[in-house]
Amino acid sequence: MENTKYYVVTGANGNTGKLVANKLLEHKVNVRVILRNENNREHWEQLGAQVVIANLDDSSTLIKAFENASSIYLMNPPAYSDDLFERVEKISNAYIEAIKVTNPQKLVILSSVGAHLATGTGNIITTYIMDQKIAKLNIQKSFIRAAYFLENWANPIAALKNNPNQLSSFVIPIDLKLPMITNEDIAITSVNEMLDISSIELNKTKIIELEGETHISPIEIANILSKLTNTSIQAQPIPRELWPQILNKHNFSPSTIQAFIELNDGFNSGYITWEGGPNVISIRGTTSFESVLSKLLQIKTTH
């Protein structure tokens, strides 16, 4: 039987998972990435990772993926064309069944601001569901509650190609400052937690509220983009009555559209916020928002 311990990454082809896996490889530890299919197998193997093909809602395939795991990075991949809530139930249950069989040392779970709230948060309810289930496991675990993703601005930035002076915003009013976070800082924090196994005792749960360098508004994001492009870009609120038809263009399921509307309402009203309290650790990332927005602009110009 193999005794080598692995740092296991779910969602390794996704926005945060690929960064987590790459940073673990930089630490020269044994990395195993979980993929849904053979796409990118060769890429990961060339980088030095072990690859396991598994369905995240199938515990029988996850057991193989979780064998000999030291730490596991767990996340709920977006599936916006499906029923978000039915899917997270299946994935969470499969995770738990596989974890109980394989007994890894530690779990690091990608969660969200507002994940302590059971209702009224739209998509974030999926993190509430998964967190509540995993919290019951008798194992070391760190929940990374991430702020509003700065990379959520990728689509509005891409739309500048057709309307170079207008940055459309679901965040209303456009001077509303929200805590935001970059994928880079999520990966840095997650890897630090995965590698730090000895510092917390068995069954110790750590909750980390993770945000970036500052709270930022759509107006301020537009100002940064204006500076980077040497163009006048103005933030423009998207009228709420237009949200359903705009979201419908992305092939979202009806339940996903309603979840996104509730999500945006929750942020805009101030309902979705940090839990805080003595049992929560607050961390600020160090990645420059301007550097990330610059990269998103570069992507826009190459497509």
Side-chain angles (χ1 to χ4, degrees):
M1 179 180 292
E2 184 182 12
N3 292 317
T4 304
K5 289 293 185 181
Y6 286 89
Y7 291 82
V8 179
V9 181
T10 63
N13 283 336
N15 293 327
T16 63
K18 66 184 176 185
L19 293 176
V20 169
N22 278 312
K23 289 183 185 304
L24 286 168
L25 287 166
E26 290 171 6
H27 281 275
K28 308 299 182 184
V29 296
N30 297 308
V31 177
R32 179 186 295 149
V33 297
I34 302 175
L35 307 180
R36 288 180 297 176
N37 50 49
E38 295 290 337
N39 294 346
N40 292 325
R41 172 191 279 275
E42 185 177 353
H43 164 78
W44 286 111
E45 289 180 338
Q46 287 178 349
L47 290 176
Q50 185 183 84
V51 174
V52 173
I53 308 300
N55 295 320
L56 298 187
D57 58 0
D58 181 355
S59 61
S60 63
T61 60
L62 285 175
I63 288 170
K64 179 182 177 183
F66 289 176
E67 282 178 345
N68 299 309
S70 181
S71 292
I72 306 175
Y73 176 74
L74 296 175
M75 51 93 67
N76 177 42
Y80 297 140
S81 61
D82 298 330
D83 185 313
L84 295 174
F85 308 106
E86 180 180 319
R87 179 161 171 75
V88 74
E89 289 278 356
K90 291 179 180 178
I91 289 176
S92 300
N93 291 337
Y95 278 162
I96 289 168
E97 288 176 27
I99 288 164
K100 286 180 176 179
V101 171
T102 55
N103 195 31
Q105 291 177 271
K106 186 175 183 180
L107 308 174
V108 175
I109 305 98
L110 177 60
S111 184
S112 172
V113 58
H116 62 293
L117 301 168
T119 61
T121 64
N123 311 21
I124 293 174
I125 294 173
T126 61
T127 63
Y128 172 84
I129 291 169
M130 192 161 88
D131 290 5
Q132 292 295 308
K133 288 176 177 289
I134 291 175
K136 296 175 184 177
L137 292 171
N138 186 36
I139 190 172
Q140 292 183 25
K141 46 198 172 292
S142 295
F143 294 95
I144 311 294
R145 290 184 180 170
Y148 190 105
F149 283 25
L150 186 65
E151 283 83 357
N152 285 347
W153 291 94
N155 284 336
I157 287 173
L160 292 172
K161 189 170 186 178
N162 298 320
N163 193 344
N165 302 111
Q166 179 176 306
L167 181 73
S168 298
S169 176
F170 285 106
V171 177
I172 303 170
I174 54 174
D175 62 352
L176 176 63
K177 294 181 181 233
L178 293 178
M180 298 194 190
I181 192 63
T182 68
N183 289 335
E184 177 74 10
D185 283 326
I186 291 171
I188 290 170
T189 305
S190 298
V191 168
N192 288 343
E193 287 300 306
M194 292 181 76
L195 295 173
D196 184 17
I197 295 173
S198 61
S199 65
I200 57 176
E201 65 269 20
L202 181 65
N203 198 31
K204 175 69 173 180
T205 296
K206 185 188 289 188
I207 297 174
I208 295 172
E209 294 183 339
L210 178 64
E211 60 181 283
E213 58 183 3
T214 185
H215 292 197
I216 192 168
S217 70
I219 288 177
E220 291 167 318
I221 290 172
N223 288 341
I224 294 172
L225 295 171
S226 296
K227 171 188 168 185
L228 291 169
T229 60
N230 198 28
T231 305
S232 176
I233 298 174
Q234 303 294 319
Q236 181 69 36
I238 302 172
R240 191 180 183 283
E241 62 269 19
L242 297 182
W243 290 1
Q245 70 182 68
I246 291 171
L247 294 168
N248 194 46
K249 294 177 182 178
H250 295 279
N251 194 32
F252 290 165
S253 69
S255 63
T256 297
I257 291 173
Q258 287 306 120
F260 265 106
I261 291 171
E262 186 174 83
L263 174 83
N264 288 313
D265 282 341
F267 276 116
N268 293 342
S269 69
Y271 173 68
I272 297 175
T273 188
W274 299 120
E275 179 179 18
N279 298 320
V280 172
I281 299 169
S282 296
I283 295 179
R284 279 195 182 271
T286 59
T287 302
S288 156
F289 285 176
E290 183 172 323
S291 68
V292 173
L293 293 171
S294 178
K295 288 178 182 176
L296 293 177
L297 279 169
Q298 291 169 24
I299 293 170
K300 184 264 293 188
T301 58
T302 58
H303 286 75

